[in-house]
Amino acid sequence: MYDFDKVIERKGTNSVKYDGEKMQDSHMIPMWVADMDFETLPEVKEALVKRASHGVFGYATPTESYYQSVVNWMKTRHHFDIQKEWIVTTSGVVGALKLAVRAYTQKGDAIMVMKPVYYPFDASINLNERMVVECPLVFQDDHYECDFEVFEKQIVDHDVKMFILCNPHNPIGKVWTRDELYQIGKICQKHQVYVISDEIHMDFIYEGNEHVPFYNVDPSFAEFSIICTAPSKTFNLAALQTSNIIIKNEDLREKFQKEKNASGMSDPNIFGLEACEAAYTYGAQWVDELVDYLSGNIAYMKEFFAERLPEIKVIDPQGLYLVWVDMRSLGMNKDELETFMLEKAHLWLDEGYIFGTGGEGFERFNVACPRSTLKQALEQLEKAIKE
Ligand SMILES: Cc1ncc(COP(=O)(O)O)c(C=O)c1O
């Protein structure tokens, strides 16, 4: 049994989450960025220590055993059969999204995203001088749906060239079903729209749901899509900057690789390679226990709100360790809500409005922390609201 209750001091460790200016408030609890407060599995630490103690850090390359660890993880965890030749390593998934935008579209082209969505999707499009087209998701009481008529209409009306899919979907915690993915894929195929499927959260799936890799929906989908994966969310390795982009189609792979070379992005560093291989080789049990623990945190949170703050609605996540919460009943505008969270509740959250259309009045809680931290955070929130 792994110990996810252990509280680890993270201040003073170059942590984006713990060393930011907002953390000067000694009561502040950071629950924003998707970065977990858990120690990764022992085999990853051991692999890193072993490599560090070797003391020679010349140029590195992924080995056969590295590729096999990725291939095996995808097969055993997701019934996803890939070949090692399809894998292109990058130093992050957001970097890969930017490369894909540049590789497959031209300046001024329209690229569609669903809203609300992980905000770097927009940035990847805008920074490369392409145009964002939105397909708003429909919020129905307690969950979100895609209106496929709107999805197709937006593609046609705006001559969309690419769609960036978040599978599963951050921030709303939706795990797309095979049928939904089929509809998305068929519409994109019909209108010759490239699909970039960001599957970085693929390993956080709760009971009753299944992650379906986009290529598994229909074999023909590999002709116009790429799949972004990484061990970084699953094993808390974000700072090691190692991702695996899966591109079956040779032409798409060549274009992506060419863009990667042109961008100056180098191959992942030796520690990233070591950590990824150890995680995918030894981490299955650790992830099973982690997902169990997270699902306990989510249950705790839902119960807390239902009993003590029933006016606030938790959108029950099907996946991810990020929980989307509807705070509109508090009657605050976005600035008031943000100030309230920071100054009264001492919680540093990702504000709903940063995820774009439909996000205002919501907050995204990162619950990948020991239960005691979550408990403290919810009690701080309750106290602030009741005051
Ligand atoms: C959907 C999604 N894609 C990508 C990332 C970040 O990926 P990376 O750190 O590899 O750039 C995140 C992090 O939260 C995410 O939620």
mmCIF file of all heavy atoms in Angstrom, residues 155-197:
data_model
loop_
_atom_site.group_PDB
_atom_site.id
_atom_site.type_symbol
_atom_site.label_atom_id
_atom_site.label_comp_id
_atom_site.label_asym_id
_atom_site.label_seq_id
_atom_site.Cartn_x
_atom_site.Cartn_y
_atom_site.Cartn_z
ATOM 1 N N ILE A 155 -17.745 24.197 -37.797
ATOM 2 C CA ILE A 155 -16.685 23.761 -38.726
ATOM 3 C C ILE A 155 -16.971 24.301 -40.135
ATOM 4 O O ILE A 155 -16.096 24.869 -40.794
ATOM 5 C CB ILE A 155 -16.583 22.213 -38.728
ATOM 6 C CG1 ILE A 155 -15.953 21.733 -37.419
ATOM 7 C CG2 ILE A 155 -15.782 21.721 -39.932
ATOM 8 C CD1 ILE A 155 -15.833 20.228 -37.281
ATOM 9 N N VAL A 156 -18.207 24.138 -40.558
ATOM 10 C CA VAL A 156 -18.574 24.556 -41.915
ATOM 11 C C VAL A 156 -18.540 26.086 -42.033
ATOM 12 O O VAL A 156 -17.912 26.639 -42.933
ATOM 13 C CB VAL A 156 -19.974 24.008 -42.274
ATOM 14 C CG1 VAL A 156 -20.447 24.554 -43.620
ATOM 15 C CG2 VAL A 156 -19.950 22.481 -42.290
ATOM 16 N N ASP A 157 -19.192 26.752 -41.079
ATOM 17 C CA ASP A 157 -19.301 28.216 -41.161
ATOM 18 C C ASP A 157 -17.942 28.914 -41.140
ATOM 19 O O ASP A 157 -17.770 29.973 -41.733
ATOM 20 C CB ASP A 157 -20.133 28.766 -39.981
ATOM 21 C CG ASP A 157 -21.616 28.459 -40.147
ATOM 22 O OD1 ASP A 157 -21.982 27.871 -41.193
ATOM 23 O OD2 ASP A 157 -22.400 28.784 -39.231
ATOM 24 N N HIS A 158 -16.994 28.328 -40.389
ATOM 25 C CA HIS A 158 -15.711 29.019 -40.226
ATOM 26 C C HIS A 158 -14.574 28.354 -41.007
ATOM 27 O O HIS A 158 -13.413 28.702 -40.817
ATOM 28 C CB HIS A 158 -15.354 29.098 -38.734
ATOM 29 C CG HIS A 158 -16.356 29.871 -37.934
ATOM 30 N ND1 HIS A 158 -16.342 31.236 -37.870
ATOM 31 C CD2 HIS A 158 -17.426 29.474 -37.201
ATOM 32 C CE1 HIS A 158 -17.354 31.658 -37.123
ATOM 33 N NE2 HIS A 158 -18.024 30.591 -36.697
ATOM 34 N N ASP A 159 -14.916 27.377 -41.823
ATOM 35 C CA ASP A 159 -13.898 26.666 -42.611
ATOM 36 C C ASP A 159 -12.747 26.180 -41.707
ATOM 37 O O ASP A 159 -11.569 26.455 -41.943
ATOM 38 C CB ASP A 159 -13.368 27.601 -43.716
ATOM 39 C CG ASP A 159 -12.502 26.843 -44.711
ATOM 40 O OD1 ASP A 159 -12.618 25.605 -44.794
ATOM 41 O OD2 ASP A 159 -11.669 27.498 -45.381
ATOM 42 N N VAL A 160 -13.150 25.471 -40.650
ATOM 43 C CA VAL A 160 -12.192 25.012 -39.643
ATOM 44 C C VAL A 160 -11.237 23.961 -40.235
ATOM 45 O O VAL A 160 -11.661 23.066 -40.960
ATOM 46 C CB VAL A 160 -12.965 24.447 -38.416
ATOM 47 C CG1 VAL A 160 -12.061 23.620 -37.512
ATOM 48 C CG2 VAL A 160 -13.601 25.597 -37.636
ATOM 49 N N LYS A 161 -9.956 24.095 -39.904
ATOM 50 C CA LYS A 161 -8.937 23.169 -40.441
ATOM 51 C C LYS A 161 -8.467 22.144 -39.402
ATOM 52 O O LYS A 161 -7.884 21.121 -39.746
ATOM 53 C CB LYS A 161 -7.702 23.951 -40.912
ATOM 54 C CG LYS A 161 -7.990 25.021 -41.927
ATOM 55 C CD LYS A 161 -8.335 24.402 -43.270
ATOM 56 C CE LYS A 161 -8.439 25.471 -44.347
ATOM 57 N NZ LYS A 161 -9.381 25.110 -45.393
ATOM 58 N N MET A 162 -8.646 22.511 -38.137
ATOM 59 C CA MET A 162 -8.134 21.617 -37.077
ATOM 60 C C MET A 162 -9.037 21.713 -35.864
ATOM 61 O O MET A 162 -9.603 22.777 -35.582
ATOM 62 C CB MET A 162 -6.703 22.036 -36.714
ATOM 63 C CG MET A 162 -6.100 21.294 -35.538
ATOM 64 S SD MET A 162 -4.467 21.922 -35.087
ATOM 65 C CE MET A 162 -3.447 21.081 -36.247
ATOM 66 N N PHE A 163 -9.155 20.595 -35.159
ATOM 67 C CA PHE A 163 -9.912 20.597 -33.898
ATOM 68 C C PHE A 163 -8.996 20.033 -32.809
ATOM 69 O O PHE A 163 -8.379 18.983 -32.989
ATOM 70 C CB PHE A 163 -11.174 19.734 -34.053
ATOM 71 C CG PHE A 163 -11.849 19.413 -32.751
ATOM 72 C CD1 PHE A 163 -12.282 20.426 -31.906
ATOM 73 C CD2 PHE A 163 -12.049 18.093 -32.348
ATOM 74 C CE1 PHE A 163 -12.883 20.144 -30.688
ATOM 75 C CE2 PHE A 163 -12.659 17.796 -31.132
ATOM 76 C CZ PHE A 163 -13.073 18.823 -30.300
ATOM 77 N N ILE A 164 -8.906 20.743 -31.690
ATOM 78 C CA ILE A 164 -8.107 20.221 -30.565
ATOM 79 C C ILE A 164 -9.081 19.637 -29.543
ATOM 80 O O ILE A 164 -9.893 20.348 -28.951
ATOM 81 C CB ILE A 164 -7.204 21.302 -29.932
ATOM 82 C CG1 ILE A 164 -6.357 21.994 -31.017
ATOM 83 C CG2 ILE A 164 -6.286 20.653 -28.885
ATOM 84 C CD1 ILE A 164 -5.402 23.060 -30.485
ATOM 85 N N LEU A 165 -8.978 18.336 -29.380
ATOM 86 C CA LEU A 165 -9.881 17.581 -28.498
ATOM 87 C C LEU A 165 -9.193 17.366 -27.151
ATOM 88 O O LEU A 165 -8.003 17.040 -27.106
ATOM 89 C CB LEU A 165 -10.158 16.221 -29.164
ATOM 90 C CG LEU A 165 -10.843 15.127 -28.338
ATOM 91 C CD1 LEU A 165 -12.285 15.493 -28.021
ATOM 92 C CD2 LEU A 165 -10.806 13.794 -29.110
ATOM 93 N N CYS A 166 -9.947 17.515 -26.084
ATOM 94 C CA CYS A 166 -9.403 17.244 -24.751
ATOM 95 C C CYS A 166 -10.072 15.959 -24.255
ATOM 96 O O CYS A 166 -11.237 15.969 -23.879
ATOM 97 C CB CYS A 166 -9.699 18.428 -23.823
ATOM 98 S SG CYS A 166 -8.617 18.498 -22.407
ATOM 99 N N ASN A 167 -9.340 14.869 -24.279
ATOM 100 C CA ASN A 167 -9.909 13.532 -24.069
ATOM 101 C C ASN A 167 -9.100 12.742 -23.023
ATOM 102 O O ASN A 167 -8.080 12.178 -23.370
ATOM 103 C CB ASN A 167 -9.890 12.790 -25.433
ATOM 104 C CG ASN A 167 -10.394 11.366 -25.336
ATOM 105 O OD1 ASN A 167 -11.243 11.056 -24.518
ATOM 106 N ND2 ASN A 167 -9.853 10.484 -26.170
ATOM 107 N N PRO A 168 -9.557 12.697 -21.757
ATOM 108 C CA PRO A 168 -10.744 13.319 -21.169
ATOM 109 C C PRO A 168 -10.598 14.840 -21.027
ATOM 110 O O PRO A 168 -9.496 15.377 -21.122
ATOM 111 C CB PRO A 168 -10.855 12.642 -19.812
ATOM 112 C CG PRO A 168 -9.549 12.025 -19.525
ATOM 113 C CD PRO A 168 -8.821 11.853 -20.798
ATOM 114 N N HIS A 169 -11.751 15.465 -20.734
ATOM 115 C CA HIS A 169 -11.848 16.914 -20.892
ATOM 116 C C HIS A 169 -11.587 17.705 -19.598
ATOM 117 O O HIS A 169 -12.337 17.612 -18.632
ATOM 118 C CB HIS A 169 -13.252 17.251 -21.430
ATOM 119 C CG HIS A 169 -13.366 18.634 -21.981
ATOM 120 N ND1 HIS A 169 -13.529 18.903 -23.319
ATOM 121 C CD2 HIS A 169 -13.324 19.841 -21.370
ATOM 122 C CE1 HIS A 169 -13.596 20.213 -23.498
ATOM 123 N NE2 HIS A 169 -13.477 20.805 -22.328
ATOM 124 N N ASN A 170 -10.525 18.487 -19.639
ATOM 125 C CA ASN A 170 -10.176 19.430 -18.587
ATOM 126 C C ASN A 170 -10.823 20.774 -18.954
ATOM 127 O O ASN A 170 -10.620 21.230 -20.073
ATOM 128 C CB ASN A 170 -8.641 19.537 -18.557
ATOM 129 C CG ASN A 170 -8.126 20.568 -17.591
ATOM 130 O OD1 ASN A 170 -8.869 21.160 -16.840
ATOM 131 N ND2 ASN A 170 -6.832 20.797 -17.620
ATOM 132 N N PRO A 171 -11.587 21.449 -18.106
ATOM 133 C CA PRO A 171 -11.725 21.279 -16.654
ATOM 134 C C PRO A 171 -12.985 20.530 -16.199
ATOM 135 O O PRO A 171 -13.195 20.416 -15.000
ATOM 136 C CB PRO A 171 -11.840 22.732 -16.183
ATOM 137 C CG PRO A 171 -12.664 23.379 -17.259
ATOM 138 C CD PRO A 171 -12.231 22.707 -18.547
ATOM 139 N N ILE A 172 -13.826 20.061 -17.089
ATOM 140 C CA ILE A 172 -15.158 19.607 -16.645
ATOM 141 C C ILE A 172 -15.183 18.150 -16.187
ATOM 142 O O ILE A 172 -16.212 17.659 -15.728
ATOM 143 C CB ILE A 172 -16.219 19.832 -17.749
ATOM 144 C CG1 ILE A 172 -15.813 19.079 -19.032
ATOM 145 C CG2 ILE A 172 -16.420 21.316 -18.015
ATOM 146 C CD1 ILE A 172 -16.883 19.053 -20.108
ATOM 147 N N GLY A 173 -14.066 17.445 -16.344
ATOM 148 C CA GLY A 173 -13.977 16.060 -15.850
ATOM 149 C C GLY A 173 -14.756 15.061 -16.681
ATOM 150 O O GLY A 173 -15.109 13.985 -16.199
ATOM 151 N N LYS A 174 -15.026 15.403 -17.934
ATOM 152 C CA LYS A 174 -15.828 14.503 -18.781
ATOM 153 C C LYS A 174 -14.925 13.488 -19.488
ATOM 154 O O LYS A 174 -13.923 13.847 -20.105
ATOM 155 C CB LYS A 174 -16.573 15.331 -19.832
ATOM 156 C CG LYS A 174 -17.485 14.504 -20.739
ATOM 157 C CD LYS A 174 -18.259 15.442 -21.682
ATOM 158 C CE LYS A 174 -19.069 14.693 -22.725
ATOM 159 N NZ LYS A 174 -20.306 14.105 -22.216
ATOM 160 N N VAL A 175 -15.327 12.231 -19.411
ATOM 161 C CA VAL A 175 -14.641 11.168 -20.159
ATOM 162 C C VAL A 175 -15.518 10.893 -21.379
ATOM 163 O O VAL A 175 -16.659 10.433 -21.244
ATOM 164 C CB VAL A 175 -14.477 9.898 -19.290
ATOM 165 C CG1 VAL A 175 -13.906 8.753 -20.112
ATOM 166 C CG2 VAL A 175 -13.560 10.203 -18.098
ATOM 167 N N TRP A 176 -15.011 11.193 -22.549
ATOM 168 C CA TRP A 176 -15.814 11.028 -23.776
ATOM 169 C C TRP A 176 -16.077 9.554 -24.028
ATOM 170 O O TRP A 176 -15.193 8.712 -23.879
ATOM 171 C CB TRP A 176 -15.077 11.647 -24.970
ATOM 172 C CG TRP A 176 -14.916 13.132 -24.834
ATOM 173 C CD1 TRP A 176 -13.798 13.799 -24.414
ATOM 174 C CD2 TRP A 176 -15.907 14.137 -25.089
ATOM 175 N NE1 TRP A 176 -14.038 15.162 -24.385
ATOM 176 C CE2 TRP A 176 -15.321 15.398 -24.805
ATOM 177 C CE3 TRP A 176 -17.225 14.104 -25.540
ATOM 178 C CZ2 TRP A 176 -16.015 16.601 -24.945
ATOM 179 C CZ3 TRP A 176 -17.913 15.300 -25.682
ATOM 180 C CH2 TRP A 176 -17.303 16.526 -25.382
ATOM 181 N N THR A 177 -17.306 9.251 -24.425
ATOM 182 C CA THR A 177 -17.624 7.853 -24.727
ATOM 183 C C THR A 177 -17.194 7.539 -26.163
ATOM 184 O O THR A 177 -16.983 8.445 -26.985
ATOM 185 C CB THR A 177 -19.144 7.599 -24.617
ATOM 186 O OG1 THR A 177 -19.803 8.389 -25.624
ATOM 187 C CG2 THR A 177 -19.677 7.956 -23.242
ATOM 188 N N ARG A 178 -17.154 6.257 -26.445
ATOM 189 C CA ARG A 178 -16.796 5.807 -27.792
ATOM 190 C C ARG A 178 -17.761 6.415 -28.822
ATOM 191 O O ARG A 178 -17.349 6.869 -29.886
ATOM 192 C CB ARG A 178 -16.864 4.276 -27.831
ATOM 193 C CG ARG A 178 -16.297 3.642 -29.068
ATOM 194 C CD ARG A 178 -16.345 2.132 -28.935
ATOM 195 N NE ARG A 178 -15.420 1.654 -27.920
ATOM 196 C CZ ARG A 178 -14.144 1.341 -28.167
ATOM 197 N NH1 ARG A 178 -13.660 1.429 -29.382
ATOM 198 N NH2 ARG A 178 -13.359 0.918 -27.193
ATOM 199 N N ASP A 179 -19.023 6.436 -28.471
ATOM 200 C CA ASP A 179 -20.017 6.953 -29.405
ATOM 201 C C ASP A 179 -19.819 8.456 -29.669
ATOM 202 O O ASP A 179 -19.891 8.917 -30.812
ATOM 203 C CB ASP A 179 -21.429 6.679 -28.842
ATOM 204 C CG ASP A 179 -22.489 7.195 -29.779
ATOM 205 O OD1 ASP A 179 -22.463 6.806 -30.956
ATOM 206 O OD2 ASP A 179 -23.312 8.033 -29.354
ATOM 207 N N GLU A 180 -19.563 9.197 -28.601
ATOM 208 C CA GLU A 180 -19.330 10.639 -28.788
ATOM 209 C C GLU A 180 -18.079 10.874 -29.639
ATOM 210 O O GLU A 180 -18.062 11.727 -30.527
ATOM 211 C CB GLU A 180 -19.164 11.324 -27.425
ATOM 212 C CG GLU A 180 -20.460 11.434 -26.635
ATOM 213 C CD GLU A 180 -20.231 11.882 -25.193
ATOM 214 O OE1 GLU A 180 -19.213 11.482 -24.572
ATOM 215 O OE2 GLU A 180 -21.081 12.618 -24.675
ATOM 216 N N LEU A 181 -17.036 10.093 -29.351
ATOM 217 C CA LEU A 181 -15.792 10.259 -30.108
ATOM 218 C C LEU A 181 -15.996 9.878 -31.575
ATOM 219 O O LEU A 181 -15.400 10.471 -32.479
ATOM 220 C CB LEU A 181 -14.669 9.419 -29.481
ATOM 221 C CG LEU A 181 -14.212 9.879 -28.090
ATOM 222 C CD1 LEU A 181 -13.271 8.857 -27.462
ATOM 223 C CD2 LEU A 181 -13.511 11.241 -28.167
ATOM 224 N N TYR A 182 -16.856 8.907 -31.788
ATOM 225 C CA TYR A 182 -17.149 8.483 -33.165
ATOM 226 C C TYR A 182 -17.805 9.640 -33.930
ATOM 227 O O TYR A 182 -17.436 9.957 -35.065
ATOM 228 C CB TYR A 182 -18.065 7.248 -33.144
ATOM 229 C CG TYR A 182 -18.337 6.692 -34.518
ATOM 230 C CD1 TYR A 182 -17.369 5.929 -35.189
ATOM 231 C CD2 TYR A 182 -19.546 6.941 -35.170
ATOM 232 C CE1 TYR A 182 -17.618 5.429 -36.473
ATOM 233 C CE2 TYR A 182 -19.791 6.446 -36.439
ATOM 234 C CZ TYR A 182 -18.826 5.689 -37.082
ATOM 235 O OH TYR A 182 -19.062 5.201 -38.340
ATOM 236 N N GLN A 183 -18.755 10.280 -33.270
ATOM 237 C CA GLN A 183 -19.431 11.404 -33.936
ATOM 238 C C GLN A 183 -18.456 12.545 -34.218
ATOM 239 O O GLN A 183 -18.466 13.119 -35.310
ATOM 240 C CB GLN A 183 -20.590 11.908 -33.062
ATOM 241 C CG GLN A 183 -21.644 10.843 -32.858
ATOM 242 C CD GLN A 183 -22.934 11.457 -32.337
ATOM 243 O OE1 GLN A 183 -23.522 12.325 -32.972
ATOM 244 N NE2 GLN A 183 -23.377 11.013 -31.182
ATOM 245 N N ILE A 184 -17.618 12.842 -33.239
ATOM 246 C CA ILE A 184 -16.598 13.890 -33.430
ATOM 247 C C ILE A 184 -15.711 13.527 -34.626
ATOM 248 O O ILE A 184 -15.480 14.329 -35.531
ATOM 249 C CB ILE A 184 -15.741 14.037 -32.141
ATOM 250 C CG1 ILE A 184 -16.572 14.695 -31.032
ATOM 251 C CG2 ILE A 184 -14.455 14.805 -32.415
ATOM 252 C CD1 ILE A 184 -15.908 14.685 -29.652
ATOM 253 N N GLY A 185 -15.227 12.281 -34.610
ATOM 254 C CA GLY A 185 -14.301 11.832 -35.655
ATOM 255 C C GLY A 185 -14.932 11.848 -37.033
ATOM 256 O O GLY A 185 -14.318 12.298 -38.014
ATOM 257 N N LYS A 186 -16.168 11.393 -37.120
ATOM 258 C CA LYS A 186 -16.829 11.309 -38.430
ATOM 259 C C LYS A 186 -17.058 12.704 -39.015
ATOM 260 O O LYS A 186 -16.883 12.928 -40.211
ATOM 261 C CB LYS A 186 -18.166 10.561 -38.299
ATOM 262 C CG LYS A 186 -17.992 9.057 -38.286
ATOM 263 C CD LYS A 186 -17.522 8.593 -39.672
ATOM 264 C CE LYS A 186 -16.962 7.191 -39.642
ATOM 265 N NZ LYS A 186 -16.322 6.767 -40.901
ATOM 266 N N ILE A 187 -17.450 13.642 -38.155
ATOM 267 C CA ILE A 187 -17.671 15.014 -38.649
ATOM 268 C C ILE A 187 -16.341 15.613 -39.130
ATOM 269 O O ILE A 187 -16.258 16.219 -40.199
ATOM 270 C CB ILE A 187 -18.328 15.897 -37.550
ATOM 271 C CG1 ILE A 187 -19.739 15.382 -37.237
ATOM 272 C CG2 ILE A 187 -18.367 17.363 -37.977
ATOM 273 C CD1 ILE A 187 -20.391 16.002 -35.998
ATOM 274 N N CYS A 188 -15.292 15.395 -38.339
ATOM 275 C CA CYS A 188 -13.985 15.955 -38.719
ATOM 276 C C CYS A 188 -13.478 15.310 -40.017
ATOM 277 O O CYS A 188 -12.929 15.980 -40.896
ATOM 278 C CB CYS A 188 -12.980 15.784 -37.581
ATOM 279 S SG CYS A 188 -13.377 16.863 -36.184
ATOM 280 N N GLN A 189 -13.702 14.016 -40.127
ATOM 281 C CA GLN A 189 -13.269 13.297 -41.327
ATOM 282 C C GLN A 189 -13.998 13.845 -42.578
ATOM 283 O O GLN A 189 -13.384 14.111 -43.599
ATOM 284 C CB GLN A 189 -13.600 11.817 -41.135
ATOM 285 C CG GLN A 189 -12.994 10.889 -42.155
ATOM 286 C CD GLN A 189 -13.176 9.432 -41.710
ATOM 287 O OE1 GLN A 189 -14.221 9.066 -41.146
ATOM 288 N NE2 GLN A 189 -12.183 8.617 -41.939
ATOM 289 N N LYS A 190 -15.305 14.020 -42.406
ATOM 290 C CA LYS A 190 -16.122 14.498 -43.531
ATOM 291 C C LYS A 190 -15.641 15.862 -44.036
ATOM 292 O O LYS A 190 -15.648 16.128 -45.239
ATOM 293 C CB LYS A 190 -17.580 14.602 -43.029
ATOM 294 C CG LYS A 190 -18.592 15.104 -44.017
ATOM 295 C CD LYS A 190 -20.002 14.931 -43.402
ATOM 296 C CE LYS A 190 -20.998 15.893 -43.978
ATOM 297 N NZ LYS A 190 -22.196 15.991 -43.119
ATOM 298 N N HIS A 191 -15.221 16.726 -43.106
ATOM 299 C CA HIS A 191 -14.841 18.078 -43.504
ATOM 300 C C HIS A 191 -13.322 18.278 -43.550
ATOM 301 O O HIS A 191 -12.843 19.416 -43.574
ATOM 302 C CB HIS A 191 -15.493 19.093 -42.551
ATOM 303 C CG HIS A 191 -16.988 19.045 -42.589
ATOM 304 N ND1 HIS A 191 -17.722 19.514 -43.650
ATOM 305 C CD2 HIS A 191 -17.886 18.526 -41.714
ATOM 306 C CE1 HIS A 191 -19.011 19.313 -43.423
ATOM 307 N NE2 HIS A 191 -19.134 18.712 -42.246
ATOM 308 N N GLN A 192 -12.593 17.172 -43.544
ATOM 309 C CA GLN A 192 -11.115 17.223 -43.625
ATOM 310 C C GLN A 192 -10.495 18.140 -42.573
ATOM 311 O O GLN A 192 -9.723 19.054 -42.874
ATOM 312 C CB GLN A 192 -10.699 17.640 -45.025
ATOM 313 C CG GLN A 192 -11.156 16.600 -46.035
ATOM 314 C CD GLN A 192 -10.767 16.946 -47.442
ATOM 315 O OE1 GLN A 192 -10.690 18.107 -47.813
ATOM 316 N NE2 GLN A 192 -10.529 15.928 -48.234
ATOM 317 N N VAL A 193 -10.895 17.869 -41.345
ATOM 318 C CA VAL A 193 -10.376 18.635 -40.201
ATOM 319 C C VAL A 193 -9.403 17.734 -39.438
ATOM 320 O O VAL A 193 -9.759 16.611 -39.058
ATOM 321 C CB VAL A 193 -11.546 19.055 -39.276
ATOM 322 C CG1 VAL A 193 -11.038 19.693 -37.993
ATOM 323 C CG2 VAL A 193 -12.496 19.992 -40.010
ATOM 324 N N TYR A 194 -8.189 18.200 -39.234
ATOM 325 C CA TYR A 194 -7.235 17.428 -38.423
ATOM 326 C C TYR A 194 -7.716 17.397 -36.969
ATOM 327 O O TYR A 194 -8.237 18.391 -36.471
ATOM 328 C CB TYR A 194 -5.857 18.091 -38.417
ATOM 329 C CG TYR A 194 -5.153 18.051 -39.746
ATOM 330 C CD1 TYR A 194 -5.026 19.204 -40.522
ATOM 331 C CD2 TYR A 194 -4.597 16.870 -40.221
ATOM 332 C CE1 TYR A 194 -4.368 19.190 -41.745
ATOM 333 C CE2 TYR A 194 -3.934 16.840 -41.452
ATOM 334 C CZ TYR A 194 -3.830 17.999 -42.201
ATOM 335 O OH TYR A 194 -3.188 17.968 -43.404
ATOM 336 N N VAL A 195 -7.490 16.268 -36.294
ATOM 337 C CA VAL A 195 -7.834 16.199 -34.870
ATOM 338 C C VAL A 195 -6.548 15.991 -34.065
ATOM 339 O O VAL A 195 -5.767 15.075 -34.336
ATOM 340 C CB VAL A 195 -8.814 15.041 -34.577
ATOM 341 C CG1 VAL A 195 -9.073 14.930 -33.068
ATOM 342 C CG2 VAL A 195 -10.133 15.267 -35.321
ATOM 343 N N ILE A 196 -6.346 16.875 -33.090
ATOM 344 C CA ILE A 196 -5.238 16.709 -32.151
ATOM 345 C C ILE A 196 -5.900 16.272 -30.851
ATOM 346 O O ILE A 196 -6.616 17.047 -30.220
ATOM 347 C CB ILE A 196 -4.475 18.053 -31.940
ATOM 348 C CG1 ILE A 196 -4.105 18.690 -33.285
ATOM 349 C CG2 ILE A 196 -3.263 17.845 -31.046
ATOM 350 C CD1 ILE A 196 -3.327 17.825 -34.242
ATOM 351 N N SER A 197 -5.689 15.027 -30.459
ATOM 352 C CA SER A 197 -6.357 14.505 -29.274
ATOM 353 C C SER A 197 -5.380 14.546 -28.092
ATOM 354 O O SER A 197 -4.404 13.800 -28.052
ATOM 355 C CB SER A 197 -6.824 13.072 -29.548
ATOM 356 O OG SER A 197 -7.582 12.600 -28.462
#
